[in-house]
Amino acid sequence: MKHLLLTFLTILCVQWGYSQTTYENFEGGAQLTWLGLDGTYNGILPNPDVTGVNTSSTVGSYTKSDMHAYSLLLADLGTPMDLSVNNEFHMKVFATTPSQILMKLEGTGPAIERLVNIAVVNTWVDYKFDFSAAQGQTGLSKIILFFDPGVETSGDTYLFDDVIAYPEGVCAGTIPDPAIIDDFECQRNASYGGGWDIIQVVNNPDASGINTSALVGEYTDPLDSWSALVVDYQNDIDLSHNLIFKAKVWSPKLGQMLFKLEGGSSPGKEVFVDITEINTWVEYKVDFSSQEGLSHKKLSIFFGAGVDALPGEIYYVDDIAREEKAVGISLDDFENGPSMDWQPLNGNEALHGTFNGDIPNPDATGANTTDNVGSYTKGSAAFSTLTAGLPIGFSFSEFPQINMAVWAPAGATSVRMQVISPIDGIKEVTRDISVTETWEVLNFDFSEFAAITDFEELRILFDPGVVSSDTYYFDELRLASSTVDPCEGIVVNPNIWDDFECQRNAVYGAGLDKLAVVANPDKGAGNPSNFVGEYTDPLDEWSALVIDNGGPIDLSVYNQFSFKVWSAKAVPVLVKLEGGTSPAKEVWGNITATEQWVIYSVDLSAFEAENHNKISIFFNGGVLAVVGDVYYIDDIQVKREPINGCVETFETPATVLPFKYFANGHLETEMYPFKVVANPNKSGINISNNVGEFVKASDALPFAGMFADLGTYLNFDNIRTLKAKVLMDHLGNLGLKVEGSLNGSPSKELSVANTTVNAWEEITIDFSEVPEDGQYSRIVVFFDLGIDATGVDVTSYFDDIVAGAGTCTTTGIFEQPELSTMNLFPNPVSDQLVIESELSLDRIEVYNFLGQLVRTIEGNNTVQNKLNTADWNSGMYIIKGYHNNVACAKGKVVRQ
């Protein structure tokens, strides 16, 4: 009671001791002479909205010039203002559009100005301008108002009233911290749009735990699902830094909150967070790093997102702010002994050396002046390895790089760092040593493996492959943000024309000035890339993004043109081959899925014999673009046709599948490569010259294997089997796995025992459980799947992998069995298509231009078949015919 009485008396003393200075209230006429410079002062008008904070009968009116960015309204008082006490200016404004107000005091001496945002329209709002910093100035005699400053084309009308100066408040002189959005005390830097009439400052109802602030925000949730508290910046938020947005929240119920960046030229970005506790303060953080450099003007916070609020449902919020991401996490600095359990691999000191513990820094200069460091002496093995366990759940999802200080002896050249996953095997990065006998910080970037969350072990190989007994010092192992050039060491892949990151191999002609590399506006499963292309469509019907090959485009093998696209609206797309000596060819399609990444693919195999130098992409071709038509594009490339039949024969070196080992013990540590070797037993069912070699290491895991990405996908063609020829010197099994589905189909792993040793045997594995259109882009090979290693390296051989029907007897790598050309007429077709073939057809399959099977039709076992095409959509189709269940003929037709 005494505290309340003291507070009340203090308020009375303030009110009695000081009075405000009213400069203008328009009651009984204007107190000041207002001049509209580059704008129009409309004089005094009746108040159109005598409610809320302004019940005055008359107000002032000003119309901004639509020809000058800084048109202004000026009142010259003639005599200086006394700012010694009354220096907190207020002004009520009624605006019809979101904008800003700049109030400026001028005269003799330095001018002072303050800017506030107008986020609420069509209602009176009282805005505050803190001029306490000018309390010692005695020459300021002019009040200048800039409405919507800096915008040249706006000509809106603003009503204003009650220009009054009050004594400075407790927060006078506070310098705004741009990282604090609102602390509901002195850092009140937010301009609220949505929810402005709901949020209010109240005493903290639970000043405990992580929030002992005296004042907080009280938000009464409206009775709907998607009302939000909206912070309106008016201009683009600076997203070059401080990309962690956070708020302390006291919630009455469990559920979700939604943080959303929106309102700019970039697509909105939403991040949901779970409300984990009720009736207590919890700080929630969201990472908007993916929006760096993009355009957003608003931060919206949805309390109880997606769920109708109950009457009287109140949330308390405080310390809405931004911060930088943490700089990293220390793994081991050896200052208080080792933090990790360092030891030689398998505990074998003879082979893998000795961890000498933490020792005083032998050279506390340069890049590492810490007191203690780790010391390691190599063993007799060329690939001598130091290991340490990693904590459960270790991953590179937040910090993708391990930094380590290294002091290496003379002659040292490199350090290899490996992390081990029981499922995904060894992942490694090697860094060169640039200086010896001094400290150097090496950066090991594991960004490529950020999705793996079960790493268990860290391994370090100093000068791998070199036999020595040298001692190395290492220190300051730390998880950190990536600093390594992500394109370092990337080998150019000519079939990837542009991924807007490291494979930027396209030369653009027309449209280059409309194409920019930007941060991915919708980073996720549909497209995890960090950067993509942004194409701004010119305001006409036929502008295009043109890739100029500089010579004939080779479509003999890589003839499936594809790219990922993100479009805000459904539009037609035209892909056009042009230039060169052949007539231009056009393929039309449509983008139907909007506001998400989709793969757009066009089959250009029909034009492989033609001569074209350019490929052009017309977004919304033939339709007049409007201002703001922007398309995001990524991974522009050419691929092979889907594989059916022979997958691999190892006979053509240039196109051998790039198999890589995993979980293969010391051979993987030593980077033993997959090899194509001479057939060691040219007899029986396999007399080919070359075969694939598989060596299972003596210490391999039971699931050791090798994988290869196909560069396209498997088309089982209704016969879902995989088969391969194997040569083994023991009884075991062959395992095969299909994964990497382009449409999200589940992976499948199967094995079949071999029955013959020291002779070639063909093993067929039934994959009938996988979807017919699984579109698997990766194949995995195992020998002795699930069987423990024997303690010695075991070599097996494989050859002639076949998917579905067909064989590899006469076909090369990725080559389809030679198919004859059908005679298709009329072409283009409207209602009925006639098919003439050399062999009688018992089955006919129809594929769309994306390579997707859309129809299967029983043939009449004759050389002429007729198809009803009246209900087909317009576009290009691939027709494939079968004789005795084997593909024998194909052709292409356009449905008008």
Side-chain angles (χ1 to χ4, degrees):
M1 181 65 183
K2 290 181 179 179
H3 176 74
L4 292 175
L5 180 59
L6 179 60
T7 302
F8 178 69
L9 291 174
T10 301
I11 294 171
L12 288 179
C13 289
V14 171
Q15 291 177 336
W16 292 337
Y18 305 105
S19 61
Q20 75 253 20
T21 302
T22 300
Y23 291 101
E24 183 64 87
N25 63 16
F26 297 108
E27 298 302 321
Q31 282 76 52
L32 302 177
T33 300
W34 294 95
L35 298 175
L37 303 181
D38 298 328
T40 303
Y41 171 58
N42 304 310
I44 302 173
L45 301 177
N47 186 349
D49 184 14
V50 189
T51 60
V53 299
N54 191 13
T55 57
S56 299
S57 58
T58 52
V59 298
S61 173
Y62 170 74
T63 301
K64 185 182 185 297
S65 166
D66 60 0
M67 299 179 63
H68 299 88
Y70 286 92
S71 63
L72 57 91
L73 184 62
L74 168 69
D76 190 340
L77 282 64
T79 59
M81 292 174 274
D82 181 1
L83 301 175
S84 60
V85 175
N86 295 327
N87 49 46
E88 182 178 289
F89 279 57
H90 286 244
M91 182 172 67
K92 296 168 184 172
V93 176
F94 185 101
T96 58
T97 185
S99 58
Q100 295 178 306
I101 315 165
L102 175 66
M103 182 182 285
K104 184 175 184 179
L105 305 184
E106 273 189 1
T108 60
I112 187 170
E113 61 185 38
R114 295 290 182 262
L115 178 72
V116 299
N117 289 342
I118 297 175
V120 180
V121 298
N122 299 319
T123 190
W124 284 102
V125 178
D126 190 351
Y127 294 98
K128 181 179 75 173
F129 306 83
D130 179 9
F131 290 121
S132 60
Q135 60 182 334
Q137 293 187 231
T138 58
L140 301 178
S141 59
K142 299 176 184 178
I143 300 174
I144 305 175
L145 303 177
F146 297 85
F147 291 91
D148 209 5
V151 180
E152 182 175 341
T153 57
S154 62
D156 300 304
T157 296
Y158 298 83
L159 304 181
F160 65 106
D161 198 9
D162 295 339
V163 182
I164 302 173
Y166 296 91
E168 65 184 37
V170 295
C171 296
T174 299
I175 299 174
D177 183 345
I180 301 175
I181 298 170
D182 199 345
D183 69 356
F184 299 95
E185 290 177 332
C186 288
Q187 290 288 352
R188 304 223 58 206
N189 304 316
S191 296
Y192 292 107
W196 72 275
D197 54 342
I198 298 174
I199 192 74
Q200 59 180 326
V201 179
V202 300
N203 291 324
N204 188 343
D206 182 12
S208 64
I210 66 169
N211 190 15
T212 57
S213 298
L215 303 175
V216 299
E218 179 187 78
Y219 180 84
T220 303
D221 205 5
L223 304 181
D224 58 43
S225 308
W226 294 109
S227 288
L229 180 63
V230 181
V231 181
D232 194 334
Y233 286 77
Q234 294 302 313
N235 298 305
D236 282 346
I237 305 170
D238 181 2
L239 295 176
S240 63
H241 64 293
N242 284 338
L243 293 170
I244 304 296
F245 285 69
K246 61 183 181 178
K248 294 173 183 173
V249 176
W250 192 102
S251 173
K253 67 179 184 181
L254 298 175
Q256 285 190 314
M257 290 174 57
L258 168 62
F259 290 76
K260 183 177 183 180
L261 292 179
E262 56 185 331
S265 60
S266 300
K269 179 63 177 179
E270 299 180 346
V271 179
F272 284 88
V273 295
D274 292 329
I275 297 175
T276 57
E277 299 181 65
I278 63 172
N279 301 330
T280 189
W281 286 102
V282 179
E283 186 170 60
Y284 298 98
K285 296 184 179 183
V286 295
D287 185 354
F288 281 114
S289 296
S290 65
Q291 303 303 291
E292 183 174 359
L294 299 186
S295 167
H296 298 289
K297 296 182 178 180
K298 299 177 183 179
L299 167 68
S300 300
I301 304 175
F302 299 77
F303 301 93
V307 179
D308 285 345
L310 300 175
E313 197 163 272
I314 293 175
Y315 294 82
Y316 297 98
V317 61
D318 199 12
D319 297 334
I320 308 172
R322 301 168 58 186
E323 67 181 19
E324 297 287 3
K325 294 182 71 169
V327 296
I329 300 172
S330 177
L331 297 176
D332 208 334
D333 62 10
F334 300 103
E335 290 309 303
N336 296 300
S339 300
M340 303 175 71
D341 57 336
W342 298 102
Q343 57 184 308
L345 181 64
N346 300 324
N348 191 328
E349 292 190 351
L351 284 176
H352 292 289
T354 305
F355 173 61
N356 305 310
D358 59 311
I359 65 169
N361 189 341
D363 183 13
T365 61
N368 186 24
T369 58
T370 61
D371 293 333
N372 300 312
V373 301
S375 172
Y376 170 71
T377 302
K378 289 188 67 168
S380 62
F383 291 90
S384 185
T385 304
L386 179 65
T387 75
L390 291 169
I392 295 174
F394 177 93
S395 77
F396 296 103
S397 58
E398 183 176 6
F399 299 108
Q401 182 169 295
I402 297 179
N403 297 337
M404 182 175 70
V406 174
W407 191 103
T413 59
S414 67
V415 179
R416 182 177 301 157
M417 185 175 287
Q418 299 177 331
V419 285
I420 315 301
S421 160
I423 294 177
D424 294 280
I426 298 174
K427 307 302 178 186
E428 63 185 19
V429 176
T430 301
R431 303 298 293 173
D432 291 336
I433 295 172
S434 60
V435 292
T436 60
E437 298 182 309
T438 189
W439 285 102
E440 176 183 17
V441 177
L442 301 181
N443 308 123
F444 301 84
D445 188 353
F446 289 91
S447 299
E448 182 181 352
F449 315 114
I452 301 174
T453 59
D454 66 341
F455 288 118
E456 295 182 343
E457 183 182 351
L458 176 70
R459 297 178 181 177
I460 303 175
L461 293 81
F462 294 94
D463 280 316
V466 177
V467 176
S468 78
S469 57
D470 289 332
T471 295
Y472 299 76
Y473 306 107
F474 63 109
D475 195 13
E476 295 296 320
L477 281 89
R478 188 174 189 85
L479 276 172
S481 299
S482 177
T483 58
V484 175
D485 179 0
C487 299
E488 181 181 293
I490 296 295
V491 178
V492 172
N493 182 343
N495 298 313
I496 301 176
W497 289 357
D498 203 342
D499 67 358
F500 299 95
E501 291 180 317
C502 296
Q503 295 287 353
R504 304 225 57 205
N505 307 316
V507 176
Y508 292 99
L512 176 61
D513 58 331
K514 305 298 181 183
L515 184 67
V517 178
V518 300
N520 187 344
D522 189 10
K523 185 177 178 181
N527 186 8
S529 298
N530 292 317
F531 296 96
V532 299
E534 179 187 70
Y535 178 74
T536 303
D537 204 7
L539 304 182
D540 58 46
E541 298 96 324
W542 294 110
S543 287
L545 181 62
V546 180
I547 298 174
D548 190 339
N549 196 54
I553 301 173
D554 183 0
L555 298 175
S556 60
V557 176
Y558 293 91
N559 48 39
Q560 308 297 301
F561 178 67
S562 76
F563 53 86
K564 294 174 183 172
V565 62
W566 193 105
S567 173
K569 59 185 181 182
V571 296
V573 177
L574 168 62
V575 172
K576 185 176 182 180
L577 287 168
E578 52 189 331
T581 59
S582 298
K585 293 295 191 305
E586 298 181 350
V587 180
W588 284 90
N590 295 284
I591 296 173
T592 57
T594 61
E595 297 187 344
Q596 61 181 287
W597 285 103
V598 295
I599 298 176
Y600 187 88
S601 182
V602 180
D603 182 0
L604 300 178
S605 60
F607 315 121
E608 63 185 62
E610 300 186 14
N611 180 294
H612 298 103
N613 296 336
K614 301 177 182 179
I615 190 163
S616 303
I617 305 172
F618 297 78
F619 295 101
N620 213 8
V623 180
L624 184 64
V626 299
V627 175
D629 274 358
V630 172
Y631 303 90
Y632 297 97
I633 187 171
D634 199 14
D635 296 335
I636 307 172
Q637 58 188 304
V638 283
K639 301 179 179 180
R640 298 176 184 270
E641 290 185 272
I643 303 171
N644 171 253
C646 186
V647 176
E648 178 62 273
T649 66
F650 303 113
E651 298 300 326
T652 307
T655 53
V656 167
L657 288 175
F659 282 103
K660 295 181 181 179
Y661 283 105
F662 61 89
N664 203 28
H666 74 93
L667 290 177
E668 188 177 358
T669 299
E670 296 163 14
M671 300 184 70
Y672 185 83
F674 164 70
K675 296 179 180 180
V676 175
V677 299
N679 186 345
N681 185 1
K682 294 177 65 172
S683 63
I685 64 171
N686 190 13
I687 57 173
S688 63
N689 294 319
N690 300 315
V691 298
E693 175 196 71
F694 186 104
V695 182
K696 187 166 183 176
S698 59
D699 56 346
L701 294 174
F703 54 85
M706 58 172 62
F707 69 90
D709 291 318
L710 303 175
T712 179
Y713 63 86
L714 295 175
N715 174 12
F716 284 111
D717 227 8
N718 294 322
I719 302 175
R720 280 163 283 171
T721 62
L722 279 175
K723 55 187 177 182
K725 296 170 183 174
V726 299
L727 176 64
M728 303 172 65
D729 64 0
H730 63 283
L731 291 178
N733 66 56
L734 170 70
L736 295 175
K737 182 179 182 180
V738 290
E739 59 184 16
S741 169
L742 300 182
N743 58 23
S745 297
S747 302
K748 188 66 178 178
E749 175 184 291
L750 297 168
S751 63
V752 171
N754 67 315
T755 60
T756 303
V757 297
N758 298 320
W760 284 102
E761 172 184 7
E762 186 170 64
I763 293 178
T764 300
I765 302 180
D766 182 3
F767 279 89
S768 58
E769 294 182 24
V770 305
E772 184 175 321
D773 61 344
Q775 297 187 17
Y776 295 100
S777 64
R778 174 179 286 184
I779 189 168
V780 187
V781 176
F782 309 87
F783 279 87
D784 301 330
L785 178 61
I787 300 174
D788 290 335
T790 62
V792 297
D793 296 349
V794 177
T795 301
S796 302
Y797 304 94
F798 64 110
D799 198 11
D800 294 346
I801 303 172
V802 176
T807 67
C808 287
T809 304
T810 59
T811 58
I813 309 307
F814 281 94
E815 294 174 357
Q816 302 275 352
E818 187 65 31
L819 303 182
S820 63
T821 301
M822 295 174 170
N823 184 20
L824 304 175
F825 61 91
N827 194 355
V829 65
S830 296
D831 299 320
Q832 188 178 70
L833 176 68
V834 178
I835 302 173
E836 291 184 347
S837 55
E838 295 179 4
L839 300 175
S840 60
L841 302 182
D842 49 55
R843 187 171 87 249
I844 299 168
E845 292 179 347
V846 182
Y847 296 81
N848 63 17
F849 73 98
L850 296 176
Q852 299 166 328
L853 180 66
V854 294
R855 284 175 172 78
T856 299
I857 302 161
E858 294 300 320
N860 57 17
N861 291 308
T862 66
V863 295
Q864 186 180 84
N865 289 265
K866 296 180 181 179
L867 301 185
N868 184 355
T869 60
D871 62 341
W872 293 15
N873 294 326
S874 298
M876 186 175 70
Y877 293 86
I878 302 167
I879 312 297
K880 186 178 290 187
Y882 289 79
H883 174 76
N884 292 336
N885 211 33
V886 175
C888 65
K890 68 176 181 179
K892 291 183 174 67
V893 66
V894 174
R895 168 67 167 84
Q896 290 180 327

